[in-house]
Amino acid sequence: MENLDNLYREIILDHYRSPRNRGELPSPPAIRTEGFNPLCGDEIVVYLDVEEGVLANIKLTGHGCSISQASSSLMSSAVKGKTIEQVRDVITTFKQLMTVHESTLQPSGEPVKVDLRAIGELAALAGVVKFPVRIKCAMLAWNTLSQGLDELGSA
Amino acid sequence: MENLDNLYREIILDHYRSPRNRGELPSPPAIRTEGFNPLCGDEIVVYLDVEEGVLANIKLTGHGCSISQASSSLMSSAVKGKTIEQVRDVITTFKQLMTVHESTLQPSGEPVKVDLRAIGELAALAGVVKFPVRIKCAMLAWNTLSQGLDELGSA
Amino acid sequence: MSSFDARRVRADTPALARIINGQRITYLDSGATSLPPRAVIEAMSRYYELRHANVHRSVFQTASEATATYEGARESVAHFINAPGGAGEVVFTKNTTESFNLLAKSWGEANLSEGDVVLLSEMEHHANIVPWFMLRERTGIEVRFIPVTDDFRLDLSSVDELMEDVKLVSVTAMSNVLGTINPVKELAATAHAHGALIAVDGAQSVAHDVTDVADLDIDFFAFSAHKMLGPTGIGVFWTRAEILDAMPPFLGGGGMIADVRLDGYSCAGGPTRFEAGTPPIAEAAGLGAAVRYLEGLGMANVAEHERALTGDALTRLGLEFEDRVRVIGPADTTHRGGVISLDVEGVHPHDVAQVLDQFGVCVRPGHHCAKPLMRRFSLPATVRASYGPYSLVRDTDVLIEGLRHAIEMFA
Amino acid sequence: MSSFDARRVRADTPALARIINGQRITYLDSGATSLPPRAVIEAMSRYYELRHANVHRSVFQTASEATATYEGARESVAHFINAPGGAGEVVFTKNTTESFNLLAKSWGEANLSEGDVVLLSEMEHHANIVPWFMLRERTGIEVRFIPVTDDFRLDLSSVDELMEDVKLVSVTAMSNVLGTINPVKELAATAHAHGALIAVDGAQSVAHDVTDVADLDIDFFAFSAHKMLGPTGIGVFWTRAEILDAMPPFLGGGGMIADVRLDGYSCAGGPTRFEAGTPPIAEAAGLGAAVRYLEGLGMANVAEHERALTGDALTRLGLEFEDRVRVIGPADTTHRGGVISLDVEGVHPHDVAQVLDQFGVCVRPGHHCAKPLMRRFSLPATVRASYGPYSLVRDTDVLIEGLRHAIEMFA
Ligand SMILES: Cc1ncc(COP(=O)(O)O)c(C=O)c1O
Ligand SMILES: Cc1ncc(COP(=O)(O)O)c(C=O)c1O
């Protein structure tokens, strides 16, 4: 069960049971972006309020497994109040965290070291990479956030 | 090579080299029927002159392997001058000859004994049944003849 | 149960010796794919080791043997489902899904037009939905659904209304989510009474009970070898000879033609018209062996065995978890097979399956390719456990232990 | 030839130990299907014995492994043909024939309309003819043929005329009857210069020489595992990602959808959009092993080995039989592979093959699914001998001995 405890760390279960930043924002002005994982049915909606280059507020709705829900809750805490540039950095770091071990499946990719201390609570999700099929659960919110920022850029 | 000699008996090679009743008949009045084996490309055309219930004349054209050619030549000799009823009997007997051993492949069919002495030269084709894929070569002319008689019946 | 012994089946099945996370595997995913016995695996290895050759069109020894193997499998399948017209009615496809596409594109496009209705049910697998939606786009047919009742059965209360303008009824013999076994024979009678034909999805039923297409009096039947202890890569499409003979070709290429000229082509007759290209020969050898193996077990015995397992599991799940675990499917074994979908309160199916994996338990979380049905019951997904002839009560024990652990973890 | 040793390949291939009519088998039918090495057979057995499960959509251990096996095969194939966009461009089908049907029905129906021309050649296999005839029936496109010269080459003398209104050129890399290797790279340049795309039938070429779809600069490529030491039941369709992404679905069902509702559906992206239903998972394991095996041999070594065999055979057939045996194909090994079609004077191909069978020689008599080509040369059939990486000069010895016997017998 050691592996399992590594996946379902207490922080993750806590964010799953009590998700942060849950809810909606009036859109517009908020940017509303939907994410969908057709394989497991997980759905997420991300609302972003951006003011003067800062992600002033973020809210999430949707449903899915503990990993996707906890990941979105952890994400919202990690990015709220940051500048868009900082948010993009966090996204990049998180994507690296999620690909470190995937590289054992796809031998082409170079493993990248991520400094776990630098990412705070997000580090709790590091155990997910040992469960390759769950990586996409963890990534759903982040991909949706990326997409929202892209829409913002092109708006 | 024993098996092979059993397949390519001297009579068969003789009928292959010097096919009997080769040629065409004016049609009408003759019945003209085409036979075709899509798998190996063998083709045959059978011309039948029927007068007062008797197969007065039969001619064949086409091309194919030694077995299909010899079988058609042997067939023409066996049925020429016979009444339609007698021709149908010969066809039935020949079909039985060709299914005796096929039954070892398809365990559902009951083997039927054919009296080899009663069928004359046709008995030379008995070796074909040991080569299941060649049975359809031997049968081509006969199936075409059957079809011709059916057309006659329905005309 | 006569000579049937699930432990013997288990001993015949190499994949059941696998150790997962330190524990013997508990395979409860036979509804997705089944684990083949050694006899099936060896039939294919032996084929490749001794007599591999392309079928038809050749005279050499191994080619004849390969052809006999391939055509022999057709005979075996015809016997297994009691095809009234024998082997000549059995078409080999790649899976159930292709069989339905063949039905929709060949028979459907030739026989259905705008205004005609194809009647499906809300519990169909996508394999028996999407091909009809695609046909609808091309021809303007209507696709209608038999509703599913709250107790997980087909709602046939207004069947006469449903049957209006229906040219084809196409339903599953057994739901791959609910376990519900549908009244196929009655539906066939209804369809025929309304001048419609009936197609049946046998993917879930064929490995778990006796199939008799003649007795059911149905018109089309589709299933996959991999769900009946056979290999991947081969499926079956069956229809009555007179229907098959009138169906236009589906895929074009070698083997399915009578002639090809620069200006056109003509088609071969029989099942080969629908088998373009080199067919799944080794897979047919495997399917033939699977059919023989299942006939050796006796399908009635298999059905009885799985019914007992299912009944036991339903009872114990109820006693153990009460309302914390809801069974999405009929509550007892009446007209119900060994597929048990679960909704665990407060634990997402993905997480349930993840925890169960730590116990070596293989179950499937998800929508099971039946999204309309999931919407009907407002569920994004379920966790599905499904039995096979090698399943034992011990498998249910481990399942229950794992579920207990999952519930505790997320409490 | 570095480390390549055909005798080692032979020792790896169990089916070559077979005794036929008292003699060791002489397998000269690799053009029809090839004999897999032990590594391929065992990859499939091991898959079924250890990790069989349905792919995608599950979290348990063996399902992840099955998925990794299946997707890993996609990676291997992408590497083997040097797909510029990697595994995401590789679609698994059931065989080359299905790949061409996919091309014609999905890409063709979406991109071609009345008046558009698809340019084939007279030496195409039915797999690359019949799907276009079927498309012609539905859309009114024109199907045009590049003629074949008397010395068995594509007649490109009036290529500009031929290219008029052409939207797609679809040709074989190597003829399965003549052995002719076509100038695919030049044809690709011509096609693109005329604003057309080019599809290539790699069924015969892929197991016998290096394939580099990026260097050839082609747009579509199709082949079958069973002709490259792999299993039956799986084929490949490759196209560039930007083309694939724009292609509408082909077969409908599970796996290829993003969502299904009672009123419609939406499709998944990538190769899975074209892989409806349970895919050939064990077959992908076998194909992956075949690719690794061939890469171990080195495709350039295989090509050199077979070229040597072919050159030797052409010379000796000429010396031995002079005009009694005519080679239907190029007379030397320039742009020519190891497929040798023979016309034996006075002996029907069926009879030649029958006599050869008594010597344990496996050759194929018939039209080889290339009837337009047979008509072009006024032949009902040929006897075809074809080499593989396990072939030896000894095989040619037995072939010649058998031919001598056949000629005597029918003299
Ligand atoms: C050139 C060519 N194309 C296509 C095919 C068809 O391959 P398959 O039968 O595997 O679909 C073949 C094999 O017979 C071939 O030789
Ligand atoms: C009821 C039902 N129909 C169809 C299918 C599709 O079978 P396959 O994936 O083998 O085509 C399945 C299996 O998932 C099924 O359970």
Side-chain angles (χ1 to χ4, degrees):
Chain A
M1 302 298 112
E2 196 189 310
N3 252 334
L4 207 59
D5 291 338
N6 216 1
L7 177 65
Y8 295 122
R9 297 209 185 133
E10 205 37 62
I11 293 185
I12 291 183
L13 293 176
D14 175 51
H15 275 263
Y16 176 53
R17 293 192 194 103
S18 326
R20 323 294 197 262
N21 300 302
R22 194 129 184 115
E24 305 185 1
L25 292 174
S27 156
I31 304 232
R32 180 183 182 284
T33 316
E34 289 180 22
F36 184 50
N37 184 336
L39 286 186
C40 54
D42 289 1
E43 284 173 10
I44 195 169
V45 185
V46 177
Y47 298 84
L48 305 176
D49 254 352
V50 176
E51 285 164 24
E52 294 172 15
V54 170
L55 183 53
N57 203 358
I58 176 170
K59 291 275 183 193
L60 303 137
T61 63
H63 58 81
C65 66
S66 60
I67 302 301
S68 80
Q69 295 301 293
S71 181
S72 60
S73 173
L74 282 158
M75 175 186 85
S76 68
S77 308
V79 299
K80 190 169 161 177
K82 293 227 158 64
T83 68
I84 298 305
E85 204 175 320
Q86 286 170 328
V87 172
R88 289 215 186 264
D89 283 349
V90 178
I91 294 175
T92 305
T93 307
F94 187 75
K95 282 191 176 163
Q96 279 168 359
L97 182 68
M98 287 297 113
T99 46
V100 173
H101 292 266
E102 212 178 16
S103 65
T104 58
L105 265 188
Q106 303 182 346
S108 48
E110 275 284 284
V112 184
K113 283 263 174 293
V114 174
D115 184 353
L116 289 184
R117 284 160 313 179
I119 58 171
E121 280 198 322
L122 286 178
L125 285 161
V128 172
V129 289
K130 290 230 182 77
F131 298 83
V133 283
R134 306 305 293 279
I135 291 173
K136 62 182 180 331
C137 307
M139 287 304 301
L140 180 61
W142 297 80
N143 289 333
T144 312
L145 173 62
S146 271
Q147 209 183 312
L149 294 182
D150 291 350
E151 280 167 34
L152 179 78
S154 67
Chain B
M1 301 296 111
E2 196 189 309
N3 252 335
L4 207 58
D5 291 338
N6 215 3
L7 176 66
Y8 295 122
R9 299 211 184 131
E10 206 37 62
I11 294 187
I12 291 183
L13 292 175
D14 175 50
H15 275 261
Y16 175 53
R17 294 191 193 104
S18 328
R20 323 296 197 261
N21 301 301
R22 195 132 182 112
E24 305 185 1
L25 292 174
S27 155
I31 304 235
R32 180 183 182 282
T33 316
E34 291 180 21
F36 184 50
N37 184 337
L39 287 184
C40 55
D42 289 2
E43 284 173 9
I44 195 167
V45 186
V46 177
Y47 298 84
L48 305 176
D49 254 351
V50 176
E51 285 165 24
E52 295 174 15
V54 171
L55 184 54
N57 204 357
I58 176 169
K59 292 273 185 195
L60 303 136
T61 63
H63 58 80
C65 66
S66 62
I67 301 301
S68 81
Q69 295 302 293
S71 181
S72 61
S73 174
L74 282 158
M75 176 185 84
S76 69
S77 308
V79 298
K80 191 168 158 178
K82 291 226 160 63
T83 66
I84 299 305
E85 204 175 321
Q86 286 170 326
V87 173
R88 292 220 186 258
D89 283 349
V90 178
I91 295 175
T92 305
T93 307
F94 187 75
K95 283 191 177 164
Q96 279 167 0
L97 182 68
M98 287 296 115
T99 44
V100 173
H101 292 267
E102 213 179 16
S103 66
T104 57
L105 265 188
Q106 304 182 344
S108 50
E110 275 284 283
V112 184
K113 284 263 172 290
V114 175
D115 183 354
L116 290 183
R117 287 159 310 177
I119 58 171
E121 280 197 321
L122 286 179
L125 285 161
V128 172
V129 288
K130 290 231 182 75
F131 298 83
V133 284
R134 305 305 293 278
I135 291 174
K136 62 183 181 330
C137 308
M139 288 303 302
L140 179 62
W142 297 80
N143 288 334
T144 313
L145 173 61
S146 271
Q147 210 183 311
L149 295 182
D150 291 348
E151 282 168 33
L152 178 77
S154 67
Chain C
M1 305 267 282
S2 75
S3 68
F4 177 83
D5 180 354
R7 262 155 314 201
R8 234 175 35 226
V9 184
R10 205 171 185 92
D12 290 341
T13 310
L16 288 172
R18 178 73 193 270
I19 302 298
I20 303 271
N21 293 319
Q23 281 140 103
R24 180 78 78 79
I25 195 171
T26 295
Y27 190 76
L28 287 169
D29 200 24
S30 294
T33 200
S34 56
L35 302 177
R38 208 167 278 110
V40 167
I41 303 170
E42 281 174 4
M44 293 188 282
S45 299
R46 262 200 320 275
Y47 168 78
Y48 282 120
E49 285 163 9
L50 285 179
R51 56 180 55 88
H52 181 44
N54 215 321
V55 294
H56 311 308
R57 270 184 310 276
S58 206
V59 299
F60 61 80
Q61 179 71 24
T62 54
S64 311
E65 293 174 8
T67 304
T69 299
Y70 185 68
E71 296 301 331
R74 225 192 275 282
E75 301 268 351
S76 302
V77 166
H79 180 263
F80 187 64
I81 63 172
N82 194 31
E89 298 183 334
V90 173
V91 176
F92 286 133
T93 61
K94 63 175 164 178
N95 51 29
T96 308
T97 304
E98 193 191 14
S99 298
F100 275 103
N101 280 274
L102 164 58
L103 174 62
K105 294 213 187 181
S106 169
W107 182 87
E109 216 158 291
N111 291 279
L112 302 176
S113 52
E114 192 162 348
D116 288 340
V117 176
V118 174
L119 182 64
L120 313 178
S121 88
E122 269 183 351
M123 65 170 82
E124 294 313 309
H125 187 279
H126 295 162
N128 188 24
I129 301 177
V130 182
W132 302 113
F133 283 177
M134 291 173 133
L135 185 64
R136 177 170 65 187
E137 285 166 21
R138 284 197 302 280
T139 62
I141 59 161
E142 183 191 329
V143 180
R144 194 179 290 160
F145 292 85
I146 305 173
V148 173
T149 63
D150 288 342
D151 55 352
F152 312 106
R153 304 287 178 182
L154 292 185
D155 181 353
L156 297 167
S157 54
S158 37
V159 71
D160 286 325
E161 230 163 274
L162 283 170
M163 284 301 301
E164 206 167 309
D165 296 323
V166 167
K167 290 287 181 314
L168 179 75
V169 176
S170 190
V171 291
T172 189
M174 172 172 153
S175 162
N176 67 317
V177 178
L178 308 173
T180 308
I181 293 174
N182 289 320
V184 168
K185 194 169 177 171
E186 289 72 16
L187 284 167
T190 305
H192 293 154
H194 287 79
L197 296 183
I198 180 164
V200 174
D201 180 347
Q204 286 298 326
S205 66
V206 77
H208 305 288
D209 207 339
V210 177
T211 300
D212 185 334
V213 295
D215 176 63
L216 293 172
D217 195 23
I218 59 178
D219 304 297
F220 304 99
F221 194 64
F223 56 100
S224 297
H226 73 89
K227 293 198 203 264
M228 51 186 284
L229 312 188
T232 56
I234 188 167
V236 172
F237 172 82
W238 168 84
T239 184
R240 288 186 279 110
E242 64 269 26
I243 298 178
L244 192 72
D245 289 343
M247 281 170 58
F250 172 48
L251 304 182
M256 55 70 73
I257 58 96
D259 194 16
V260 177
R261 300 166 310 280
L262 287 184
D263 61 349
Y265 69 101
S266 55
C267 287
T272 53
R273 175 155 81 258
F274 303 98
E275 295 176 357
T278 302
I281 314 170
E283 290 76 5
L287 171 55
V291 164
R292 282 189 295 281
Y293 186 84
L294 286 173
E295 286 183 333
L297 299 182
M299 291 313 298
N301 296 330
V302 170
E304 193 177 327
H305 170 68
E306 295 183 15
R307 199 174 306 116
L309 283 175
T310 306
D312 171 69
L314 292 172
T315 309
R316 285 165 65 200
L317 286 165
L319 289 174
E320 177 79 33
F321 301 109
E322 297 180 351
D323 295 343
R324 289 237 38 187
V325 174
R326 195 159 59 104
V327 172
I328 311 299
D332 62 40
T333 58
T334 317
H335 302 306
R336 184 204 211 294
V339 162
I340 305 185
S341 267
L342 301 174
D343 181 35
V344 181
E345 197 190 323
V347 195
H348 190 277
H350 243 89
D351 294 312
V352 176
Q354 189 77 63
V355 175
L356 287 173
D357 176 55
Q358 288 297 315
F359 290 80
V361 179
C362 306
V363 294
R364 191 149 292 249
H367 54 63
H368 316 296
C369 294
K371 292 201 114 192
L373 184 68
M374 303 313 281
R375 282 217 175 77
R376 161 68 180 84
F377 290 104
S378 303
L379 292 163
T382 70
V383 183
R384 182 186 72 183
S386 48
Y387 294 101
Y390 34 62
S391 300
L392 299 177
V393 168
R394 187 170 76 201
D395 297 325
T396 310
D397 299 343
V398 189
L399 171 69
I400 287 176
E401 189 191 337
L403 285 172
R404 212 182 284 138
H405 195 91
I407 290 171
E408 268 165 31
M409 187 151 195
F410 287 88
Chain D
M1 308 264 279
S2 72
S3 68
F4 177 84
D5 180 353
R7 261 157 315 203
R8 238 185 18 234
V9 183
R10 206 171 184 89
D12 289 342
T13 310
L16 289 171
R18 177 72 192 269
I19 303 298
I20 303 272
N21 293 317
Q23 283 141 99
R24 180 78 77 81
I25 195 170
T26 296
Y27 190 77
L28 288 169
D29 200 24
S30 294
T33 200
S34 57
L35 302 178
R38 208 166 278 109
V40 168
I41 303 171
E42 281 174 4
M44 292 187 282
S45 299
R46 262 201 319 277
Y47 167 77
Y48 282 120
E49 286 163 8
L50 284 178
R51 57 180 55 86
H52 180 45
N54 216 323
V55 294
H56 310 310
R57 271 186 309 278
S58 207
V59 299
F60 61 82
Q61 178 73 22
T62 54
S64 312
E65 292 174 11
T67 304
T69 299
Y70 186 69
E71 296 301 330
R74 224 193 276 283
E75 301 268 351
S76 303
V77 166
H79 181 263
F80 187 64
I81 63 172
N82 194 28
E89 297 184 335
V90 173
V91 176
F92 287 133
T93 60
K94 64 175 165 181
N95 52 29
T96 308
T97 304
E98 193 192 12
S99 298
F100 275 105
N101 280 274
L102 164 59
L103 174 61
K105 294 212 186 182
S106 168
W107 182 86
E109 215 157 289
N111 290 280
L112 303 176
S113 52
E114 191 160 352
D116 288 340
V117 176
V118 173
L119 182 64
L120 313 178
S121 89
E122 270 183 350
M123 64 169 84
E124 294 312 311
H125 187 280
H126 295 164
N128 188 24
I129 301 177
V130 182
W132 303 113
F133 284 177
M134 290 173 133
L135 185 64
R136 177 170 66 185
E137 285 165 23
R138 283 197 302 279
T139 63
I141 60 162
E142 183 190 329
V143 180
R144 193 180 288 160
F145 291 85
I146 305 173
V148 173
T149 65
D150 287 343
D151 55 352
F152 311 105
R153 302 288 179 183
L154 292 186
D155 181 353
L156 296 167
S157 55
S158 37
V159 70
D160 286 326
E161 230 162 274
L162 282 170
M163 284 301 301
E164 207 166 308
D165 296 323
V166 168
K167 290 286 179 317
L168 179 75
V169 177
S170 189
V171 292
T172 189
M174 171 172 154
S175 162
N176 67 318
V177 178
L178 308 172
T180 307
I181 292 174
N182 289 321
V184 168
K185 194 169 178 170
E186 289 72 15
L187 284 167
T190 306
H192 292 154
H194 286 79
L197 296 183
I198 180 164
V200 175
D201 180 348
Q204 286 297 327
S205 66
V206 76
H208 306 288
D209 208 338
V210 178
T211 300
D212 185 334
V213 294
D215 176 64
L216 293 172
D217 195 23
I218 58 178
D219 304 297
F220 304 98
F221 194 64
F223 57 100
S224 297
H226 73 90
K227 293 198 202 265
M228 51 186 287
L229 312 188
T232 56
I234 187 167
V236 172
F237 172 83
W238 168 84
T239 185
R240 289 186 279 108
E242 64 269 28
I243 299 177
L244 191 72
D245 288 345
M247 281 169 59
F250 173 47
L251 304 182
M256 55 71 73
I257 56 95
D259 195 16
V260 177
R261 298 167 311 280
L262 287 184
D263 60 349
Y265 68 101
S266 55
C267 287
T272 52
R273 176 154 80 257
F274 302 98
E275 296 176 356
T278 302
I281 313 170
E283 291 75 5
L287 172 54
V291 164
R292 281 188 296 279
Y293 187 85
L294 286 173
E295 286 183 333
L297 299 181
M299 291 312 300
N301 296 330
V302 171
E304 193 177 326
H305 170 68
E306 295 182 17
R307 199 174 306 116
L309 282 176
T310 306
D312 171 68
L314 291 172
T315 309
R316 286 165 65 200
L317 285 165
L319 290 173
E320 177 79 31
F321 300 109
E322 296 181 351
D323 295 342
R324 291 239 34 191
V325 173
R326 194 158 60 102
V327 172
I328 311 299
D332 61 41
T333 58
T334 318
H335 302 307
R336 183 203 211 294
V339 163
I340 305 185
S341 267
L342 302 174
D343 180 35
V344 181
E345 198 188 323
V347 196
H348 190 277
H350 242 88
D351 292 314
V352 176
Q354 189 77 63
V355 175
L356 288 173
D357 176 55
Q358 288 296 315
F359 290 80
V361 179
C362 305
V363 294
R364 191 149 293 247
H367 54 63
H368 315 297
C369 295
K371 292 202 112 189
L373 184 68
M374 304 313 282
R375 283 218 174 74
R376 161 67 182 84
F377 291 103
S378 303
L379 292 163
T382 70
V383 182
R384 184 186 71 182
S386 48
Y387 294 102
Y390 35 63
S391 300
L392 299 176
V393 169
R394 189 171 75 201
D395 297 325
T396 310
D397 300 343
V398 189
L399 171 69
I400 287 176
E401 189 192 338
L403 285 172
R404 211 182 285 137
H405 195 91
I407 290 169
E408 270 165 29
M409 186 152 195
F410 286 87

